[in-house]
Amino acid sequence: MKHIYSGKVRDIYELDDEHLLFVTSDRISAFDVVMTEPIPGKGRVLTALTAFWASQLPGIAPTHLVSLGVPAGADLSAAGISRDFAEGRTMVVRRAEMLPIECIVRGYLSGSAWAEYRRTGTMHGEPLPAGLSQSEKLPEPVFTPSTKATVGHDENISFEQAARLIGDKMAAGAREISLEAYRWGAERAAERGIIIADTKFELGLVDGELAICDEILTPDSSRFWPADQWQPGATPPSFDKQPLRDWLEATGWGKVPPPPPLPPDVVEATSARYVEAYERLSGLSFSDWPGADGSPAVRPGA
Ligand SMILES: Nc1ncnc2c1ncn2[C@@H]1O[C@H](COP(=O)(O)OP(=O)(O)O)[C@@H](O)[C@H]1O
Ligand SMILES: [Mg+2]
């Protein structure tokens, strides 16, 4: 198995020309910096939630997911990981030609979009109604793409800028799939008392067709808020890495490596939030997921 890429969270191996093995680690990044400490359970939660959504998704678009787990013939030792480690955090996906944009959809005004709106009254360069508050529900969900920076931070762009990058037709297709998938996921989540304030899809071409790749509606790719604690004008507590970001902000850390060591209670609270997000959204128990109990949380030898 050839190692082809390690991102902030995933290690990716080539199985054959058409298939990749995705191994989702317990690494966590904040402000684009990977923390030193792993978050126990995180890689399995991300895998479980992506698998859950992919299994439910109606015919909006194909996903890249082929199967869960490590295929029988794969030689994991080449990747330096054990079966125990791989359990519950691995999936086989179709290799895609990824679009060079991130397909963000926003249903609520938060994060970088709120910061921009406060400055200029726009969101990704497009005008919004005046007088909106922080965390307010947008009149309707908006496709708000960003660049996919290989170095540094992604940059929010308008739909027209995205169309210039990938072509009008591809941009329109990506917008339609992203908006539909967001609306569908947000509706399911609302039934379970969770607001999906925004999310980021990564789309790619598989057999010449746009497919939903990467992770799907996870706490890493989305802002999840408990619906009963949402109120315009304030930032609700969240089921994602916001508490970690808040803790990091409070330390006064300059957001460049090396990150500060995370105290055990921050690691534990973050881990619990990821598990809670999975259980609330799926209605399933995380303890039933392969490897959820007992497997080593860190890569042997790391
Ligand atoms: N089906 C696919 N084929 C090829 N690349 C993919 C596919 N799905 C996701 N990717 C890419 O794999 C990487 C996933 O690893 P991750 O750790 O999340 O990386 P990053 O730090 O870039 O977010 C991303 O760069 C993503 O664009
Ligand atoms: Mg990623």
Side-chain angles (χ1 to χ4, degrees), residues 9-10 42 46 49-50 53 102-105 182 196-202 213-224 239-241 245 274:
V9 174
R10 289 169 188 81
K42 177 173 178 280
L46 298 183
L49 201 49
T50 295
W53 290 119
E102 313 232 305
C103 296
I104 302 166
V105 179
Y182 169 80
I196 304 181
D198 51 48
T199 195
K200 175 207 70 177
F201 297 105
E202 292 196 33
C213 299
D214 205 60
E215 55 189 331
I216 303 173
L217 299 167
T218 74
D220 271 14
S221 66
S222 322
R223 268 194 188 83
F224 293 146
F239 289 108
D240 50 52
K241 54 173 97 156
R245 293 195 197 102
Y274 273 73

Coordinates of all heavy atoms in Angstrom, one line a residue, residues 9-10 42 46 49-50 53 102-105 182 196-202 213-224 239-241 245 274:
V9 N -5.9 15.5 9.4 CA -6.6 14.4 10.2 C -6.4 13.0 9.6 O -6.4 12.0 10.3 CB -8.1 14.8 10.3 CG1 -8.9 13.7 10.9 CG2 -8.2 16.1 11.1
R10 N -6.4 12.9 8.2 CA -6.4 11.6 7.6 C -5.1 11.2 7.0 O -4.3 12.1 6.5 CB -7.5 11.6 6.5 CG -8.8 11.6 7.1 CD -10.0 11.8 6.1 NE -11.2 12.0 7.0 CZ -11.5 13.1 7.6 NH1 -10.8 14.2 7.4 NH2 -12.5 13.1 8.4
K42 N -12.0 10.2 18.4 CA -12.4 11.2 17.3 C -12.4 10.6 15.9 O -13.3 10.8 15.1 CB -11.5 12.4 17.4 CG -11.7 13.4 16.3 CD -10.9 14.7 16.6 CE -11.1 15.7 15.5 NZ -10.4 15.5 14.3
L46 N -15.7 10.4 13.5 CA -15.8 11.0 12.1 C -16.1 9.9 11.1 O -16.9 10.2 10.1 CB -14.5 11.7 11.8 CG -14.0 12.8 12.7 CD1 -12.7 13.5 12.1 CD2 -15.1 13.9 12.8
L49 N -19.9 8.8 11.6 CA -20.9 9.8 11.2 C -20.9 9.9 9.7 O -22.0 10.0 9.1 CB -20.6 11.1 11.9 CG -21.7 12.1 12.0 CD1 -23.0 11.5 12.6 CD2 -21.3 13.3 12.9
T50 N -19.7 9.9 9.1 CA -19.7 10.0 7.6 C -20.4 8.7 7.0 O -21.2 8.9 6.1 CB -18.2 10.0 7.1 OG1 -17.7 11.3 7.6 CG2 -18.1 9.9 5.6
W53 N -24.3 9.1 7.5 CA -24.9 10.0 6.5 C -24.9 9.4 5.1 O -25.9 9.5 4.4 CB -24.2 11.4 6.5 CG -24.4 12.3 7.7 CD1 -23.4 12.7 8.5 CD2 -25.6 12.9 8.2 NE1 -23.9 13.5 9.5 CE2 -25.3 13.6 9.4 CE3 -27.0 12.8 7.8 CZ2 -26.2 14.3 10.1 CZ3 -27.9 13.5 8.6 CH2 -27.5 14.3 9.7
E102 N -13.6 24.5 -1.6 CA -14.4 23.9 -0.6 C -15.8 24.3 -0.7 O -16.1 25.5 -0.9 CB -13.9 24.3 0.8 CG -12.4 24.2 0.9 CD -11.9 23.5 2.1 OE1 -12.2 23.9 3.2 OE2 -11.1 22.5 1.9
C103 N -16.7 23.3 -0.7 CA -18.1 23.7 -1.0 C -18.9 23.9 0.4 O -19.5 23.0 0.9 CB -18.8 22.5 -1.7 SG -18.0 22.3 -3.4
I104 N -18.8 25.1 0.8 CA -19.4 25.5 2.1 C -20.8 25.9 1.9 O -21.1 26.6 0.9 CB -18.6 26.6 2.8 CG1 -17.1 26.2 3.0 CG2 -19.2 27.1 4.1 CD1 -16.2 27.4 3.3
V105 N -21.7 25.5 2.8 CA -23.1 26.0 2.8 C -23.3 26.5 4.2 O -23.0 25.9 5.2 CB -24.1 24.9 2.5 CG1 -25.5 25.4 2.6 CG2 -23.8 24.2 1.2
Y182 N -27.0 19.8 2.2 CA -27.1 20.6 3.4 C -28.6 20.6 3.9 O -28.8 20.3 5.1 CB -26.6 22.0 3.3 CG -26.9 22.9 4.5 CD1 -26.2 22.8 5.6 CD2 -28.0 23.7 4.5 CE1 -26.5 23.6 6.8 CE2 -28.4 24.5 5.6 CZ -27.6 24.4 6.7 OH -27.9 25.2 7.8
I196 N -27.5 22.6 12.2 CA -26.3 22.6 11.4 C -26.1 24.0 10.9 O -26.8 24.4 9.9 CB -26.2 21.5 10.3 CG1 -26.5 20.1 10.9 CG2 -24.9 21.6 9.6 CD1 -26.5 19.0 9.9
A197 N -25.3 24.8 11.6 CA -25.2 26.2 11.3 C -24.5 26.4 9.9 O -25.0 27.2 9.1 CB -24.4 27.0 12.3
D198 N -23.5 25.6 9.7 CA -22.9 25.6 8.4 C -22.1 24.3 8.2 O -21.9 23.6 9.2 CB -21.9 26.8 8.2 CG -21.0 27.0 9.3 OD1 -20.3 26.0 9.7 OD2 -20.9 28.1 9.8
T199 N -21.7 24.0 7.0 CA -20.9 22.8 6.8 C -20.1 22.9 5.5 O -20.4 23.8 4.7 CB -21.8 21.5 6.7 OG1 -21.0 20.4 6.8 CG2 -22.5 21.5 5.4
K200 N -19.1 22.1 5.4 CA -18.2 22.1 4.2 C -18.2 20.8 3.6 O -17.9 19.8 4.2 CB -16.8 22.5 4.7 CG -15.8 22.4 3.6 CD -14.4 22.1 4.1 CE -14.3 20.7 4.6 NZ -12.9 20.3 5.0
F201 N -18.6 20.7 2.3 CA -18.4 19.5 1.6 C -17.2 19.6 0.7 O -16.8 20.7 0.3 CB -19.7 19.2 0.7 CG -21.0 19.0 1.4 CD1 -21.9 20.1 1.5 CD2 -21.2 17.9 2.1 CE1 -23.1 19.9 2.2 CE2 -22.4 17.7 2.8 CZ -23.4 18.7 2.8
E202 N -16.6 18.4 0.4 CA -15.6 18.4 -0.6 C -16.0 17.5 -1.7 O -16.3 16.3 -1.5 CB -14.2 17.9 0.0 CG -13.7 18.9 1.0 CD -12.2 18.7 1.3 OE1 -11.4 18.2 0.4 OE2 -11.8 19.0 2.4
C213 N -17.3 13.6 -1.5 CA -16.1 12.9 -1.1 C -15.8 13.3 0.4 O -16.6 13.9 1.0 CB -14.9 13.2 -2.0 SG -15.2 12.7 -3.7
D214 N -14.6 13.0 0.8 CA -14.1 13.4 2.1 C -15.1 13.0 3.2 O -15.6 11.9 3.2 CB -13.9 14.9 2.1 CG -12.8 15.4 3.1 OD1 -11.7 15.0 2.9 OD2 -13.2 16.2 3.9
E215 N -15.2 13.8 4.2 CA -16.1 13.5 5.3 C -17.5 14.2 5.1 O -17.5 15.2 4.4 CB -15.5 14.0 6.7 CG -15.1 15.5 6.7 CD -14.3 15.8 7.9 OE1 -14.5 15.2 9.0 OE2 -13.5 16.8 7.9
I216 N -18.5 13.7 5.7 CA -19.9 14.2 5.4 C -20.5 14.6 6.8 O -20.7 13.8 7.7 CB -20.7 13.1 4.7 CG1 -20.1 12.7 3.4 CG2 -22.1 13.7 4.5 CD1 -20.8 11.5 2.8
L217 N -20.8 15.9 6.9 CA -21.6 16.5 8.0 C -21.1 16.0 9.3 O -21.8 15.4 10.1 CB -23.1 16.1 7.8 CG -23.7 16.7 6.6 CD1 -25.1 16.1 6.3 CD2 -23.9 18.3 6.7
T218 N -19.8 16.2 9.6 CA -19.2 15.8 10.8 C -18.9 17.0 11.7 O -19.0 18.2 11.2 CB -17.8 15.1 10.6 OG1 -16.8 16.0 10.2 CG2 -17.9 14.0 9.6
P219 N -18.5 16.8 12.9 CA -18.2 18.0 13.8 C -16.9 18.7 13.3 O -16.7 19.9 13.6 CB -17.9 17.4 15.2 CG -18.4 16.0 15.1 CD -18.5 15.6 13.7
D220 N -16.1 18.0 12.5 CA -14.9 18.7 11.9 C -15.2 19.6 10.7 O -14.6 20.6 10.5 CB -13.8 17.7 11.5 CG -12.8 17.3 12.6 OD1 -13.1 17.6 13.8 OD2 -11.8 16.7 12.3
S221 N -16.3 19.2 10.0 CA -16.6 19.9 8.8 C -17.8 20.8 9.0 O -18.2 21.5 8.0 CB -16.9 18.9 7.7 OG -18.0 18.2 7.9
S222 N -18.4 20.8 10.2 CA -19.6 21.6 10.4 C -19.7 22.3 11.7 O -18.9 22.0 12.6 CB -20.8 20.6 10.4 OG -20.7 19.6 9.5
R223 N -20.6 23.2 11.9 CA -20.9 23.8 13.2 C -22.2 23.2 13.6 O -23.2 23.4 13.0 CB -21.1 25.3 13.1 CG -19.9 26.1 13.3 CD -20.1 27.6 13.5 NE -18.9 28.3 13.6 CZ -18.2 28.6 12.5 NH1 -18.7 28.5 11.3 NH2 -17.0 29.2 12.6
F224 N -22.2 22.5 14.7 CA -23.4 21.9 15.3 C -23.8 22.6 16.5 O -23.0 22.7 17.5 CB -23.2 20.4 15.6 CG -22.9 19.5 14.5 CD1 -22.0 18.4 14.6 CD2 -23.6 19.7 13.3 CE1 -21.8 17.5 13.6 CE2 -23.3 18.8 12.2 CZ -22.5 17.7 12.4
F239 N -21.3 21.4 19.5 CA -20.9 20.0 19.5 C -19.7 19.7 18.7 O -19.5 18.7 18.1 CB -22.0 19.0 19.1 CG -23.2 19.0 20.0 CD1 -24.4 19.6 19.7 CD2 -23.0 18.3 21.2 CE1 -25.4 19.5 20.6 CE2 -24.1 18.2 22.1 CZ -25.3 18.9 21.8
D240 N -18.9 20.7 18.5 CA -17.7 20.6 17.6 C -16.5 21.1 18.4 O -16.5 21.1 19.6 CB -17.9 21.3 16.3 CG -18.4 22.7 16.5 OD1 -17.7 23.5 17.2 OD2 -19.5 23.1 15.9
K241 N -15.5 21.6 17.7 CA -14.3 22.0 18.3 C -14.3 23.4 18.9 O -13.2 23.9 19.3 CB -13.1 21.7 17.4 CG -13.1 22.3 16.1 CD -11.8 22.1 15.3 CE -11.9 20.9 14.4 NZ -10.9 21.0 13.3
R245 N -11.3 25.7 20.5 CA -10.9 27.0 20.0 C -11.0 28.1 21.1 O -10.1 28.9 21.2 CB -11.8 27.4 18.8 CG -11.6 26.6 17.6 CD -12.2 27.3 16.4 NE -12.5 26.4 15.3 CZ -13.7 25.8 15.0 NH1 -14.8 26.2 15.7 NH2 -13.8 25.0 14.0
Y274 N -17.6 15.1 20.6 CA -17.6 14.3 19.3 C -18.6 13.1 19.4 O -19.4 12.9 18.6 CB -16.2 13.9 18.9 CG -15.5 15.0 18.1 CD1 -15.0 16.1 18.8 CD2 -15.3 14.9 16.8 CE1 -14.3 17.1 18.1 CE2 -14.7 15.9 16.1 CZ -14.2 17.0 16.7 OH -13.5 18.0 16.0

